[in-house]
Amino acid sequence: MRSVDVLVIGAGQAGLSAAYHLQRRGFVPVTRASGDGRTFVVLDAEDGPGGAWQHRWASLKMATVNGIYELPGFPVPPADPDASSRDVLPAYFADYEQRFALDVQRPVRVKAVRRPTMEDGTETDGPLIVETDSETWSADHVINATGTWTRPHWPYYPGRENFRGRQLHVHDYVSANEFAGKRVVIVGAGISATQLLEEISRVTDTLWVTRAEPVWEDRFDTPTIVAALARAEERVREGLPPQSIVRVTGMHRTPWTERAEARGVLVRHPMFTRIEEHGVRMPDGSFEPADVILWATGFRAELRHLAPLRLRTPKGGIRVANGRSLDEPRLFVIGYGPSQSTIGTNRAGRDAVISILADPAAMKTPSIPA
């Protein structure tokens, strides 16, 4: 079993932010450690750098994501606004890891995080045990930064298994061209749903359905965002599942919604009540034919490897305050709840490291100046 002071799970936006702040405050990658200095390690399940960005669809351009994803300490180099984000951002993440010598270890899949036990099975307050597909670690603190990309949410509707056409989640979306000539039902009210509605409607007929009528918020200023994030923080503090970013901040007009509206395709219909072999049945009893159902219904936090800690509440979430588990203080969960946006993850990584430094167990002599 290998030992480390802080173990970070995931090398996306949140994980790299945490690693940057660890190193800035005197921790060094365990691969470079010597003596009694403080150490960290970043374990990532992907084959290469880039987190979820390397899996996004090719039509998600830099102009769409510009300004919301920068990692701390190193701005994104200038890029063509029409360049695909999945080409530009993984390269940026790779440069970032190399520039700060973060020594991310991959591909390493974390299978379980658990408390140490005595011979009789009694759990103790020692370092957490992190089991991976290659080896086992012992860590004084664990920063979980696994995001949501690997947990696409597929809501169940009656008859889904009988549909003769194609169903896919935005997780598996590639290009609008594959739907040319087919009628596509797009489900969801988030950013992905409206982006892909605008894109797919250029090559074929679409039907946009949502559970609730969209409410377009006019304000998106700092006070509004702060108030929304405070509500999100309260939810996860109580152990409720975090809401999507759109549920927290509301829907806002964007260049792609304006383009879709100008072409007459930004027309919301109520959610269907069931799925049939060749389409969907609407609330008024009418039938809408469909060849494809695209579920733009969001993602859930990837926390299955934390199950041995038994943190999930009867309300469905885990109790977190300021990025720290209230029921397992050795664990930080960032990129979760109010910190799930790409802006919030940077701050959450920094705050987790500050909290770790406040623990007496973390106050060893640093191996490099803080």
Side-chain angles (χ1 to χ4, degrees):
M1 183 183 300
R2 301 181 67 182
S3 296
V4 69
D5 291 298
V6 183
L7 187 145
V8 181
I9 307 175
Q13 182 93 19
L16 293 185
S17 172
Y20 168 85
H21 287 289
L22 284 165
Q23 190 174 82
R24 190 166 177 232
R25 287 162 175 81
F27 292 79
V28 297
V30 69
T31 53
R32 301 170 183 260
S34 60
D36 296 326
R38 300 174 297 198
T39 59
F40 74 93
V41 67
V42 182
L43 307 180
D44 188 50
E46 298 286 350
D47 291 328
W53 289 112
Q54 59 194 303
H55 304 299
R56 304 285 186 180
W57 48 96
S59 59
L60 185 60
K61 307 298 185 182
M62 290 297 291
T64 303
V65 300
N66 187 36
I68 63 170
Y69 50 77
E70 286 194 345
L71 292 160
F74 182 37
V76 181
D80 182 349
D82 291 328
S84 175
S85 62
R86 74 177 187 184
D87 294 331
V88 175
L89 294 179
Y92 164 61
F93 276 44
D95 289 346
Y96 190 88
E97 293 180 14
Q98 185 174 6
R99 169 178 289 253
F100 294 106
L102 300 179
D103 289 7
V104 176
Q105 300 194 21
R106 59 167 61 91
V108 178
R109 184 172 300 279
V110 172
K111 298 166 61 177
V113 180
R114 62 181 76 253
R115 299 179 183 91
T117 59
M118 296 189 294
E119 290 185 2
D120 63 359
T122 302
E123 293 180 343
T124 71
D125 293 329
L128 292 172
I129 306 302
V130 180
E131 299 174 359
T132 79
D133 55 3
S134 57
E135 59 186 330
T136 300
W137 293 81
S138 170
D140 292 331
H141 294 90
V142 171
I143 299 178
N144 188 83
T146 44
T148 61
W149 183 255
T150 56
R151 291 291 305 278
H153 174 55
W154 292 72
Y156 178 77
Y157 276 81
R160 192 177 77 180
E161 63 279 4
N162 298 322
F163 185 58
R164 293 290 186 89
R166 180 186 177 192
Q167 296 186 69
L168 73 159
H169 193 276
V170 295
H171 176 276
D172 302 307
Y173 177 80
V174 177
S175 167
N177 292 332
E178 60 184 311
F179 305 128
K182 300 178 180 180
R183 192 166 198 240
V184 181
V185 175
I186 299 173
V187 184
I191 294 174
S192 296
T194 55
Q195 280 183 347
L196 298 184
L197 169 67
E198 197 280 329
E199 183 172 311
I200 295 170
S201 64
R202 291 181 176 275
V203 301
T204 194
D205 184 33
T206 56
L207 181 77
W208 179 36
V209 300
T210 69
R211 288 190 301 173
E213 183 76 38
V215 177
W216 300 98
E217 301 287 347
D218 294 328
R219 295 181 59 191
F220 197 55
D221 54 16
T222 299
T224 302
I225 296 172
V226 169
L229 293 178
R231 294 192 296 272
E233 176 75 26
E234 185 59 31
R235 279 187 64 87
V236 297
R237 186 186 294 270
E238 293 178 4
L240 290 163
Q243 295 177 319
S244 68
I245 294 175
V246 166
R247 290 288 299 275
V248 172
T249 65
M251 295 184 66
H252 301 272
R253 298 286 180 179
T254 61
W256 56 87
T257 60
E258 292 176 354
R259 290 194 297 267
E261 189 168 40
R263 292 191 294 108
V265 298
L266 190 70
V267 179
R268 178 263 176 184
H269 297 269
M271 188 66 193
F272 49 76
T273 57
R274 67 176 294 107
I275 302 172
E276 299 182 9
E277 288 188 355
H278 301 289
V280 295
R281 187 66 59 179
M282 304 303 286
D284 63 0
S286 63
F287 178 77
E288 291 285 353
D291 301 299
V292 178
I293 301 175
L294 175 60
W295 296 89
T297 45
F299 297 79
R300 297 293 182 262
E302 178 54 274
L303 303 176
R304 288 173 289 187
H305 53 288
L306 302 181
L309 298 175
R310 303 183 304 281
L311 301 175
R312 194 170 296 279
T313 73
K315 298 178 181 179
I318 64 175
R319 299 197 315 135
V320 174
N322 298 320
R324 191 171 204 162
S325 167
L326 292 175
D327 299 306
E328 176 45 78
R330 293 164 290 189
L331 174 70
F332 292 81
V333 185
I334 62 176
Y336 179 81
S339 67
Q340 65 182 308
S341 71
T342 50
I343 297 173
T345 54
N346 284 349
R347 184 168 54 250
R350 177 200 63 195
D351 292 347
V353 174
I354 291 173
S355 295
I356 288 172
L357 286 170
D359 285 352
M363 299 307 293
K364 297 177 182 178
T365 301
S367 56
I368 61 175

